Amino acid sequence: MPDTLLSRVAPDELPEDLRQLRESSISVAGDGDRLEVFGNHPALYRWYQQNFYGAIFSNGDPAMVVDPKWKHLLRLKLSLTNGCFVCNAHNVPSALADGYTQAQIDSMADANSPLFTSKEQAVLALGEMFAIANADPQLSPELYARLSEHFSDAEILELGFVATILSGWTKLIFAYDLVTRECPIDSPERKLTPSQTHLAG
């Protein structure tokens, strides 16, 4: 369980929206600790939910150009690679509901798996590039060419922006110990897919 040094706001003292998000997170992942900490600064969490997830990730802003399904795939790749338990508890069932198979989810460590189309493989490779364990990300000509077969430069920028926010968020919640990690980044024991254990079914 998380053991943050930051103070927590008691659940009954949280603003109603954060209290509801906490209850929802506990029902899905058994962990709502981060919401108690963000009770110290609700505006930050609301920005993340409304301006990132609402406007950019889910295309609530009509200026966004990438179909959200590609952002969903990118998010799942990042959460599995980065090893955020709470993220995976939400994202794995969502991916199954979206039509991805368990075999595909279990194969996401391999961005070139034949279980994915060339477009999906390009998005997965982009996710690998933006994972927090990658200290020196660089868009190679080869990956750019693969992405360009399916996405415009505007779309590639938007995907990269989404990946940056998601991995930056993961760094924040890991650094402040606000969520449970699947296992330490780069640990040889870390399993990519929690679906083989507590998220199965």
Side-chain angles (χ1 to χ4, degrees):
M1 292 298 293
D3 188 23
T4 184
L5 296 174
L6 296 166
S7 62
R8 301 168 188 253
V9 174
D12 60 357
E13 295 178 7
L14 289 171
E16 181 60 26
D17 56 340
L18 266 64
R19 184 161 55 248
Q20 290 180 2
L21 287 168
R22 176 185 176 276
E23 291 172 0
S24 175
S25 183
I26 290 173
S27 70
V28 173
D31 184 341
D33 298 59
R34 70 196 183 285
L35 279 307
E36 295 175 19
V37 174
F38 273 99
N40 292 296
H41 198 336
L44 284 177
Y45 207 88
R46 291 181 184 125
W47 184 93
Y48 182 65
Q49 289 291 311
Q50 297 166 10
N51 293 294
F52 174 63
Y53 263 105
I56 296 173
F57 189 88
S58 300
N59 287 22
D61 182 340
M64 297 300 107
V65 295
V66 177
D67 188 314
K69 71 180 180 181
W70 302 114
K71 300 175 190 180
H72 292 172
L73 179 61
L74 183 61
R75 176 181 63 180
L76 179 60
K77 171 63 176 179
L78 284 166
S79 74
L80 290 172
T81 304
N82 290 338
C84 172
F85 169 76
V86 172
C87 304
N88 291 332
H90 287 84
N91 296 342
V92 170
S94 293
L96 292 168
D98 286 344
Y100 284 100
T101 67
Q102 189 63 61
Q104 286 175 307
I105 293 169
D106 290 342
S107 297
M108 282 197 182
D110 178 9
N112 296 310
S113 169
L115 295 178
F116 299 102
T117 66
S118 62
K119 189 171 185 177
E120 290 169 332
Q121 289 173 348
V123 172
L124 294 175
L126 188 68
E128 285 184 359
M129 191 186 85
F130 278 100
I132 63 175
N134 186 354
D136 187 24
Q138 180 70 48
L139 180 62
S140 67
E142 183 270 338
L143 179 53
Y144 176 66
R146 290 171 63 191
L147 288 163
S148 294
E149 290 180 12
H150 309 287
F151 300 101
S152 68
D153 278 7
E155 291 172 314
I156 294 170
L157 280 168
E158 189 174 315
L159 286 168
F161 185 85
V162 165
T164 298
I165 297 293
L166 290 171
S167 280
W169 176 258
T170 302
K171 275 201 166 186
L172 171 69
I173 59 179
F174 280 5
Y176 287 169
D177 204 4
L178 303 183
V179 296
T180 301
R181 303 189 194 198
E182 295 291 344
C183 55
I185 293 294
D186 286 340
S187 167
E189 296 84 30
R190 184 160 64 82
K191 303 298 183 185
L192 180 65
T193 12
S195 52
Q196 295 174 340
T197 54
H198 52 276
L199 296 183

